[in-house]
Amino acid sequence: MKLQVQPKLIIHGGAGSSLQGKGGLETVRRSLHAVIEEVYSLLVTGVSASEAVVRGCQMLEDNPHFNAGTGSVLQSDAQIRMSASLMDGTSRRFSGVINVSRVKNPIEMALFLQNSPDRVLSDFGSAELARELQVPSYNPLTDLRLKEWIQERDDNFKRTMAGVVAEPEMAESSNAGRGTIGVVALDGYGKLAAGTSTGGKGFERIGRVSDSAMPAGNYATSYAGVSCTGIGEDIIDECLAAKIVIRVSDGMSLQKAMLRSFTEASKNERDLGAIALDATGAISYGKTSEILLAAYHNGDTIGDTLEWNDGELIGYC
Ligand code: GLY
């Protein structure tokens, strides 16, 4: 079928405090651009927004640098529990898994749940579903994340968060980060979808629930789609993704909705970021944290926010 609109794509690999070295920055840039290139080329061939979002999330989950899937951070008890959600803007269906363990791609479980009458499952239900679907058991632990946890244990868990990306220099730094991955796509038929996946904050209490599998952290309608990153509690308190999307659905421009929402978040001293697309093809991103690891395809070129530091709360193109 002939494409009706020019597809748009934006992805993120977390937000947090500054990357330590150029090595880290270039590694992250290469990783994000590779995902943009592959997923955008799928959108051009006519795949749906939801399919593109799932493929982008899988690639980011499989990249051990990011805090989702392989490379997820460890919680206080040294276990990995991951959360992911998918929202299809056209069907307005939200689905997700909360604190799932021992699977490679939590976003695939969120995709399966799109067509289930029970669309958000917590730890026990997710484990049951993985068993029913015969999802192969997979250990997403990486040496760097284990090293990071052991360092924190030796330091009596002084940090409240794990590093935003897993890099040797990150594991050795004292910088806190807020890792997550997310993808928002507008397909060639004008349809939107958003997906978000995370290993959580790192070092958190057992049973803590992330924003990533809530509409606060991931939301889409036929008007706009948003994926958030940052401290989950701050995102939940702002109800950030749903707030931005509903403002756009009510008639506000994406740029205004982002600016108003990030101005509020900044006033409330939140630590977070978000990526967004609307049905007209507008792309936007915002942060109150120091850095946002995001990249986008505007139909002509690839851009990213890795060195975006002009003091503005939002960017727009
Ligand atoms: N935003 C990811 C988390 O706080 O779990």
Side-chain angles (χ1 to χ4, degrees):
M1 204 162 62
K2 199 172 168 299
L3 300 189
Q4 289 152 12
V5 301
Q6 186 176 51
K8 299 286 168 84
L9 178 66
I10 186 163
I11 67 174
H12 72 77
S17 47
S18 64
L19 293 174
Q20 288 281 290
K22 269 290 195 205
L25 189 136
E26 286 311 323
T27 305
V28 170
R29 176 166 282 145
R30 265 197 309 277
S31 302
L32 292 176
H33 287 211
V35 176
I36 287 282
E37 275 164 22
E38 176 169 330
V39 178
Y40 194 78
S41 69
L42 291 175
L43 283 165
V44 170
T45 65
V47 308
S48 73
S50 281
E51 287 171 307
V53 163
V54 170
R55 180 63 194 135
C57 288
Q58 282 168 335
M59 289 181 77
L60 291 161
E61 286 177 340
D62 289 345
N63 187 321
H65 294 300
F66 300 117
N67 174 19
T70 304
S72 284
V73 298
L74 280 65
Q75 301 195 343
S76 56
D77 60 345
Q79 297 301 305
I80 291 176
R81 297 181 186 87
M82 300 165 286
S83 300
S85 69
L86 175 66
M87 184 143 187
D88 183 293
T90 308
S91 64
R92 297 203 181 194
R93 273 198 201 157
F94 181 96
S95 58
V97 286
I98 296 172
N99 288 330
V100 66
S101 300
R102 299 227 154 238
V103 299
K104 187 163 187 254
N105 293 110
I107 194 70
E108 288 174 9
M109 299 184 71
L111 174 64
F112 175 83
L113 289 167
Q114 277 282 304
N115 295 312
S116 161
D118 306 313
R119 279 190 271 114
V120 184
L121 298 181
S122 66
D123 45 5
F124 179 71
S126 303
E128 279 291 296
L129 179 67
R131 196 177 54 79
E132 272 171 45
L133 296 177
Q134 299 185 340
V135 177
S137 177
Y138 177 81
N139 185 357
L141 179 66
T142 61
D143 288 351
L144 278 173
R145 290 303 191 187
L146 181 59
K147 185 175 165 203
E148 191 179 46
W149 187 88
I150 291 169
Q151 279 174 352
E152 279 309 301
R153 186 193 55 182
D154 293 347
D155 214 12
N156 213 14
F157 294 110
K158 247 189 3 235
R159 272 205 286 170
T160 51
M161 297 251 171
V164 63
V165 293
E167 282 292 307
E169 66 238 63
M170 304 303 152
E172 279 150 22
S173 85
S174 61
N175 276 347
R178 304 94 177 87
T180 313
I181 65 93
V183 179
V184 185
L186 173 72
D187 67 25
Y189 314 103
K191 295 181 173 171
L192 288 154
T196 306
S197 182
T198 188
K201 280 196 296 195
F203 322 131
E204 65 263 65
R205 180 185 278 269
I206 302 167
R208 181 254 182 189
V209 174
S210 166
D211 62 288
S212 298
M214 291 186 192
N218 189 72
Y219 200 68
T221 63
S222 52
Y223 295 92
V226 173
S227 166
C228 298
T229 177
I231 298 180
E233 284 70 8
D234 285 0
I235 296 164
I236 293 165
D237 290 345
E238 292 296 311
C239 202
L240 188 64
K243 178 159 71 176
I244 295 165
V245 170
I246 288 165
R247 281 179 164 157
V248 175
S249 304
D250 282 348
M252 197 180 273
S253 72
L254 182 66
Q255 189 174 10
K256 278 198 179 135
M258 288 287 282
L259 188 58
R260 186 175 295 183
S261 304
F262 274 89
T263 302
E264 288 164 358
S266 170
K267 214 177 283 168
N268 294 332
E269 298 183 357
R270 310 298 192 192
D271 190 346
L272 43 72
I275 55 170
L277 285 182
D278 77 9
T280 71
I283 299 174
S284 187
Y285 40 85
K287 64 173 172 68
T288 58
S289 41
E290 226 175 287
I291 52 158
L292 174 68
L293 310 180
Y296 52 85
H297 202 306
N298 64 10
D300 295 321
T301 53
I302 295 177
D304 68 54
T305 65
L306 302 191
E307 289 169 289
W308 169 45
N309 200 8
D310 60 9
E312 299 294 323
L313 285 170
I314 69 152
Y316 186 78
C317 55

